Amino acid sequence: MTPFFSLCVYCGSRPGVEPAFAATAAQVGRWLGEHGGQLVYGGGNNGLMGVMATAALEAGARVVGVIPHALVEKEWAKLDCTELHVVENMHERKRMMAERADAFLALPGGIGTFEEFFEVWTWRQLGYHDKPIGLLNEAGYYDTLLAFLWSSVSSGFMSEWQMELIRVAGDAPSLLQDLRQASSSAARATNLSQI
Ligand code: AMP
């Protein structure tokens, strides 16, 4: 059975200091289960990643984890994923995650989350895919990043249309709903094999 909404989520491999971040990660996982969705993520069992995937499985979502073999121990690969793909390297991981998703969402996280979010954003502006991208600005976590990005627009290094490629919200359920709706109307043109 093809799930009607497959969401690739990038988030921290650490929990962060605010318990609210883990609560929201669990809420995202549960939402996917309650809406018959599928979670695609990095396959780890630590931090927000583990909390989200556990909640998704408990709520009945399919969970697709994709992890490079070098990180299986470091990130505690989540062995009870519906599908766990142990791949050769980080590049293969990111491409498979992108191919298996209808939309992307970044939650609070660190350097890995930032890198993955920026990568799918740049792929979108280059036309490698046409899938919606969300940024969950939980408790203003990304306020300073967003302010910097807008300052880059003012400085002439970015365009407003590039900013408009991302959907930013502070509230998980409305952003999830928005991404699901946008993904069903997206043309879904993908050239991800070219990355
Ligand atoms: P972090 O947000 O730093 O806690 O990392 C979240 C996830 O991003 C982890 O599963 C990392 O393996 C992954 N990740 C992806 N690309 C990178 C990268 N270039 N550097 C570090 N972590 C990365």
Side-chain angles (χ1 to χ4, degrees):
M1 191 186 88
T2 308
F4 79 93
F5 182 51
S6 180
L7 180 67
C8 175
V9 182
Y10 306 121
C11 62
S13 58
R14 307 179 197 190
V17 292
E18 296 293 338
F21 292 138
T24 300
Q27 184 184 29
V28 169
R30 271 196 309 276
W31 188 94
L32 286 167
E34 286 160 7
H35 292 79
Q38 173 170 275
L39 170 67
V40 178
Y41 86 116
N45 206 8
N46 45 18
L48 299 188
M49 296 170 72
V51 169
M52 171 182 65
T54 300
L57 285 169
E58 284 173 2
R62 296 192 89 258
V63 175
V64 179
V66 188
I67 192 163
H69 61 75
L71 294 184
V72 163
E73 282 184 24
K74 195 171 169 214
E75 296 196 346
W76 301 351
K78 190 162 175 55
L79 303 176
D80 58 340
C81 287
T82 319
E83 291 176 38
L84 180 66
H85 299 273
V86 179
V87 295
E88 242 351 89
N89 52 44
M90 200 64 109
H91 190 70
E92 204 184 320
R93 175 200 232 182
K94 291 177 189 176
R95 178 153 71 195
M96 183 182 277
M97 287 167 69
E99 282 170 346
R100 294 291 303 265
D102 299 321
F104 304 97
L105 173 62
L107 305 184
I111 188 169
T113 303
F114 307 152
E115 198 262 356
E116 292 169 313
F117 167 74
F118 277 105
E119 188 169 58
V120 286
W121 188 8
T122 55
W123 285 348
R124 168 91 193 249
Q125 66 133 11
L126 292 169
Y128 288 118
H129 71 86
D130 193 20
K131 305 177 186 188
I133 303 167
L135 181 68
L136 186 67
N137 189 19
E138 158 107 47
Y141 179 72
Y142 285 118
D143 278 353
T144 46
L145 175 66
L146 289 162
F148 172 74
L149 291 169
W150 280 110
S151 81
S152 173
V153 174
S154 310
S155 300
F157 287 105
M158 283 179 60
S159 306
E160 273 188 41
W161 71 264
Q162 292 172 307
M163 291 299 289
E164 286 161 8
L165 294 177
I166 58 171
R167 294 156 187 269
V168 183
D171 165 59
S174 60
L175 186 53
L176 288 161
Q177 194 57 44
D178 181 34
L179 289 169
R180 180 170 64 165
Q181 210 157 336
S183 74
S184 62
S185 55
R188 298 267 178 82
T190 64
N191 298 309
L192 286 166
S193 59
Q194 294 172 20
I195 61 172

